Amino acid sequence: MKIFLQFIYNADGTSGCVRTAANHLNSVIRELKNSVFSSSTQDVNLVGHSMGGLVSRYLVENIRSADVERVVTLGTPHFGSDQAPFGDLDRDDSELWNGSRKLENDFSKPLIGFAGWNPSYNTLVGDFGDIRNIYQTGLGVGPTKTYSSWNEYVNEKYYDKTGDYPLYGDIEDGPVNIDSALGSDYDPEEDFGDSPVEMNTRFLIWDDEFGGHSTMRKHPRTPYYVEKALTGAYDDRSKN
């Protein structure tokens, strides 16, 4: 029997919020295992949107006391957001990747990452309508070329379809850059020298309606891909 539960936490983005929420989530899971689930060994899967993905990662990587089977993140700023000038989600100063409580980035559980891109309606119409969909891809995509980052990959895909390279602001879901959401780079314009987040596979949601930061959760095909991720369909890390 599957049980679906929603976890609500303080999401103001201030310092310590992710750490605090992760500890709270850990307590909730333990209580559910003891009082609600049919078995204390029943698998727990986490699906986190935006900051919720960081809460899920912090729980699995830093606390490690809750029995979580796998994690799916949707539009999560794995290396921060340009629109967060302070606190937990700040690219430059957050303790999540720059302090004593940093995310360890050695994910031991299956992790599936989704990123969204919400271009203007006028960009993707007519002949370009075929890229308004979800694409399963991986770092190093292509039979003859290895891409150095997700930023380069998205730029090339954009160019293939439009004949132009996108502006920096075109390759994000709004608050979160594609590279950050897919755990590949801190920032496509800077090299922080940090290792990518280990993932089983990654998805890009290129869609003028459902590729935005909040609306990606409502893409008609997102539940299908998330469910497959939770069943282990994408656990082959060689596809990463």
Side-chain angles (χ1 to χ4, degrees):
M1 180 180 66
K2 295 181 179 179
I3 302 175
F4 297 92
L5 299 170
Q6 182 179 11
F7 176 70
I8 299 175
Y9 59 92
N10 180 6
D12 63 6
T14 56
S15 180
C17 188
V18 168
R19 183 178 73 256
T20 301
N23 279 281
H24 182 204
L25 177 58
N26 180 57
S27 299
V28 170
I29 291 175
R30 284 185 168 275
E31 178 63 26
L32 289 171
K33 280 182 169 286
N34 291 329
S35 60
V36 178
F37 292 174
S38 58
S39 170
S40 62
T41 60
Q42 184 169 336
D43 293 340
V44 174
N45 297 314
L46 300 177
V47 180
H49 174 256
S50 193
M51 186 175 171
L54 290 177
V55 172
S56 300
R57 278 192 59 209
Y58 196 99
L59 168 62
V60 174
E61 294 186 23
N62 293 70
I63 299 175
R64 303 190 182 194
S65 55
D67 297 322
V68 175
E69 181 66 20
R70 63 190 68 240
V71 175
V72 175
T73 65
L74 303 172
T76 289
H78 289 288
F79 286 120
S81 170
D82 289 325
Q83 295 188 17
F86 57 87
D88 273 3
L89 308 186
D90 180 17
R91 281 182 182 245
D92 297 323
D93 302 319
S94 173
E95 68 173 7
L96 294 178
W97 33 81
N98 290 300
S100 60
R101 296 184 175 92
K102 65 185 298 184
L103 288 167
E104 296 186 353
N105 204 15
D106 60 349
F107 212 86
S108 59
K109 301 290 184 179
L111 172 64
I112 314 296
F114 287 72
W117 177 36
N118 185 204
S120 66
Y121 176 77
N122 292 330
T123 302
L124 298 180
V125 294
D127 294 339
F128 305 131
D130 60 333
I131 70 172
R132 296 189 300 174
N133 211 331
I134 296 181
Y135 286 75
Q136 181 185 359
T137 54
L139 193 61
V141 167
T144 59
K145 180 175 181 179
T146 298
Y147 297 93
S148 63
S149 70
W150 277 96
N151 181 64
E152 181 185 0
Y153 170 76
V154 174
N155 269 273
E156 293 295 331
K157 286 296 185 181
Y158 189 104
Y159 183 84
D160 289 345
K161 295 297 182 181
T162 67
D164 294 307
Y165 286 103
L167 300 174
Y168 173 74
D170 291 330
I171 47 177
E172 59 186 22
D173 64 24
V176 181
N177 184 271
I178 283 176
D179 280 57
S180 182
L182 295 173
S184 179
D185 302 313
Y186 264 106
D187 191 318
E189 296 181 337
E190 298 182 51
D191 181 10
F192 286 79
D194 211 70
S195 300
V197 176
E198 183 180 354
M199 294 186 181
N200 289 79
T201 195
R202 304 172 172 95
F203 290 87
L204 289 178
I205 303 175
W206 290 10
D207 194 298
D208 61 294
E209 181 178 0
F210 296 107
H213 186 65
S214 295
T215 53
M216 70 174 68
R217 297 173 298 171
K218 302 177 182 179
H219 192 290
R221 294 179 69 191
T222 296
Y224 167 77
Y225 283 98
V226 168
E227 184 175 5
K228 286 180 70 69
L230 294 178
T231 60
Y234 306 120
D235 282 2
D236 184 357
R237 292 182 185 269
S238 66
K239 296 179 181 179
N240 195 23

